[in-house]
Amino acid sequence: MQAVRFIAIAIYGLCFSLAHAETLTGQVVKISDGDTLTILDASRQQHKIRLSGIDAPERKQAFGTVSRQYLASLAFGKAVTVEWYKRDRYQRIIGVVLLDGRDVNLELVKAGLAWHYKYYENEQPLGERLLYTEAEEVARLDRVGLWSDPSPIPPWDFRRK
């Protein structure tokens, strides 16, 4: 039953989450960390992408390297589509990375290698927000990835130190 609910939310999210987004396609040429990558588009221009809706552990933080490696295993060298809606203060594109229609951002949350970034959840369409919330809850309950740590430190707290 939970699988059916998850699929229904996914379909809803796909239908409504990217309605107002711009699209960028390219090949992933660099993985900076678990939530930032660089793509090279058809005109050979590089674009730094910050994965929206998630926050992965920092490099020097527990699971930081694992998160980066997992993102690399999913996307490095592959053609992706980025559905995006804004840039951050560093001029990175903030968006959802899609690989063969699969939400890479969500895959990191499912693997327990990123938090659903609740601070910015109001910027997410409802369907996407529900998917990310549920994925984090399942990863926590199953003690997957960073949730195997009894008290993982969120990256936003780690950065403050």
Side-chain angles (χ1 to χ4, degrees):
M1 186 64 182
Q2 186 174 5
V4 172
R5 185 173 138 216
F6 194 76
I7 291 169
I9 293 171
I11 291 169
Y12 177 83
L14 287 174
C15 291
F16 297 101
S17 70
L18 306 174
H20 297 91
E22 294 197 39
T23 303
L24 177 66
T25 58
Q27 181 177 11
V28 177
V29 294
K30 181 180 178 186
I31 306 291
S32 300
D33 56 30
D35 55 31
T36 308
L37 53 78
T38 302
I39 67 169
L40 186 66
D41 70 16
S43 65
R44 312 284 298 156
Q45 183 179 356
Q46 289 191 5
H47 303 272
K48 197 164 199 176
I49 313 297
R50 171 64 167 80
L51 280 63
S52 65
I54 70 169
D55 201 5
E58 298 296 327
R59 281 183 174 210
K60 294 182 179 183
Q61 189 176 356
F63 292 93
T65 301
V66 177
S67 180
R68 181 179 181 270
Q69 289 171 340
Y70 186 70
L71 178 56
S73 74
L74 289 174
F76 186 75
K78 296 180 181 156
V80 298
T81 299
V82 180
E83 299 288 348
W84 66 283
Y85 54 92
K86 74 175 194 175
R87 291 183 184 268
D88 67 8
R89 64 182 175 194
Y90 307 109
Q91 292 307 302
R92 296 177 298 187
I93 291 171
I94 308 297
V96 176
V97 176
L98 301 169
L99 175 63
D100 297 326
R102 203 167 98 207
D103 182 340
V104 172
N105 309 25
L106 179 61
E107 293 301 318
L108 280 144
V109 177
K110 285 180 179 179
L113 296 173
W115 276 258
H116 174 213
Y117 206 176
K118 304 261 190 315
Y119 185 80
Y120 293 103
E121 74 178 351
N122 288 336
E123 295 180 6
Q124 289 180 290
L126 179 60
E128 183 178 288
R129 186 181 327 149
L130 293 172
L131 282 172
Y132 285 41
T133 297
E134 185 168 328
E136 182 177 304
E137 288 174 10
V138 169
R140 278 180 191 251
L141 289 171
D142 291 346
R143 300 190 143 326
V144 176
L146 61 90
W147 303 112
S148 64
D149 185 323
S151 53
I153 299 170
W156 51 90
D157 289 342
F158 183 84
R159 286 189 292 267
R160 276 193 220 129
K161 295 180 182 181

